Amino acid sequence: MDIIFYHPSFDGEFWMRELGKALPEAKVRAWTPDDEASADYALVWHPPIEMLRGRELKGVFSLGAGVDAILTKLKAHPEMLAAHIPLFRLEDTGMAVQMQEYAVSQVLHWFRRFDDYQLLKQQATWQELDEYRREDFTIGILGAGVLGSQVAQSLRGWGFPLRCWSRSRKEIPGVTSYAGDQEMRDFLQGTRVLINLLPNTPETAGIINQSLLAQLADNSYVMNIARGAHVVEADLLAALDSGKVKAAMLDVFHQEPLPADNPLWAHPRVAITPHVAAVTRPEEAIAYIAKTIGQVERGERANGLVDRARGY
């Protein structure tokens, strides 16, 4: 079994060494532009077109939860990867726990009004603020897949009203499920905290826009830990300036790194992290890849298979 590996920033030597331990029957090599030798599997992140083009592979693994970069290239270069070749994404591999930590910590930060106290601190103002009530702090999660459902479960124990919205209805204990375009308005009405965990598809691009934000509860909060393409930044800034949205926590952006002149940096009600809400943890990712390759080799059904039409 031959495996080719490409990631523009990962430690390739570490990955190849550990993959070799997990798959001792495999020969793992870093792909280079002159590499035209045969391969059975490819492990990639933002792969060059020529890496995959023309190869008859048993499977391609995206080294992250998203596959939008690959699918975008495929639209312009369909010859890059034949339609019958399975494409897999890392469904969890430690990402769910990280997303839970990120979401819970920020929701509690807003609920306890620590953002307001920080602003008062900057003014040297000693002032006790009124508490928020849990029953008025409805949390709505856009996207109820593996990560969205796990984030919802992590928030259950805190007693907040929880709801989710997705393409198809989900059954998550303690969470009210909304599905499809026809139920989006009902999902947004009364939502005080909006957490975005949608996949990046043509249908979801720009979904957090002026129209959506206007339907949230007044003094709402927005957290984006999915993709920058989901948010119309100018609309979010306008909602923040008007007071409709009280604060935003953003981990992902249209352009990364976020340019120094982007107005999001200067807005006092915007918190920013550099795309670190959930990062690929090598040990868990390698264990998942080794397990999945074994399932493919045995002809078994494997998790993480991407539906290219849906985009996830």
Side-chain angles (χ1 to χ4, degrees):
M1 181 193 305
D2 292 293
I3 298 174
I4 49 177
F5 173 93
Y6 175 85
H7 195 292
S9 60
F10 279 0
D11 182 346
E13 290 187 5
F14 169 85
W15 274 77
M16 287 185 287
R17 181 178 67 251
E18 296 304 311
L19 282 163
K21 294 177 182 177
L23 292 165
E25 70 277 20
K27 296 179 181 178
V28 187
R29 68 181 189 271
W31 178 84
T32 57
D34 59 349
D35 185 346
E36 297 182 359
S38 63
D40 298 294
Y41 297 93
L43 279 51
V44 301
W45 186 249
H46 291 267
I49 296 166
E50 59 270 24
M51 177 184 181
L52 302 177
R53 184 169 51 202
R55 291 187 182 274
E56 191 58 37
L57 298 160
K58 295 180 181 179
V60 174
F61 290 82
S62 173
L63 296 174
V67 292
D68 40 295
I70 295 175
L71 296 179
T72 298
K73 284 188 178 181
L74 272 173
K75 286 185 178 179
H77 303 276
E79 76 283 0
M80 174 179 162
L81 188 65
H84 68 275
I85 296 176
L87 175 62
F88 297 93
R89 63 188 177 95
L90 304 185
E91 277 197 330
D92 185 347
T93 62
M95 293 183 187
V97 171
Q98 295 174 73
M99 289 291 192
Q100 290 173 327
E101 294 167 346
Y102 193 104
V104 171
S105 64
Q106 187 59 37
V107 166
L108 295 178
H109 183 86
W110 286 328
F111 179 68
R112 291 297 308 274
R113 305 195 66 174
F114 293 149
D115 55 332
D116 293 319
Y117 283 118
Q118 179 63 19
L119 290 175
L120 290 173
K121 178 260 184 185
Q122 293 170 2
Q123 302 164 18
T125 299
W126 183 281
Q127 178 184 346
E128 184 176 346
L129 300 173
D130 292 337
E131 293 183 347
Y132 289 148
R133 300 191 312 166
R134 274 179 168 75
E135 55 266 35
D136 298 331
F137 218 71
T138 298
I139 300 171
I141 300 171
L142 279 173
V146 173
L147 296 178
S149 61
Q150 291 295 316
V151 166
Q153 289 298 319
S154 71
L155 288 163
R156 278 188 64 197
W158 296 98
F160 300 110
L162 292 171
R163 56 179 64 167
C164 67
W165 180 90
S166 53
R167 184 183 179 205
S168 57
R169 200 172 310 283
K170 300 295 191 297
E171 297 293 333
I172 306 174
V175 181
T176 303
S177 177
Y178 296 82
D181 294 340
Q182 69 278 9
E183 295 185 11
M184 175 63 89
R185 178 178 292 275
D186 291 338
F187 164 77
L188 294 171
Q189 291 296 316
T191 290
R192 185 74 183 277
V193 178
L194 184 72
I195 301 175
N196 179 41
L197 276 161
L198 287 169
N200 185 16
T201 69
E203 291 74 24
T204 63
I207 192 171
I208 301 177
N209 53 28
Q210 188 278 332
S211 175
L212 181 147
L213 294 169
Q215 298 176 68
L216 294 171
D218 291 340
N219 293 311
S220 56
Y221 299 87
V222 173
M223 184 189 309
N224 187 21
I225 47 180
R227 284 291 184 269
H230 291 132
V231 175
V232 179
E233 292 179 358
D235 290 358
L236 177 59
L237 283 165
L240 285 159
D241 288 339
S242 73
K244 177 64 177 181
V245 173
K246 186 175 181 182
M249 181 76 197
L250 307 175
D251 184 60
V252 287
F253 306 89
H254 284 269
Q255 184 178 347
E256 296 181 1
L258 187 65
D261 60 354
N262 189 296
L264 290 169
W265 283 115
H267 202 288
R269 287 291 187 174
V270 175
I272 289 172
T273 50
H275 204 147
V276 295
V279 299
T280 301
R281 288 179 169 165
E283 293 82 2
E284 295 176 60
I286 288 168
Y288 161 78
I289 290 168
K291 176 183 176 181
T292 305
I293 286 178
Q295 291 171 326
V296 173
E297 290 290 307
R298 294 188 298 271
E300 300 171 0
R301 185 179 182 277
N303 292 330
L305 182 64
V306 172
D307 182 331
R308 296 196 198 180
R310 291 186 175 185
Y312 56 92

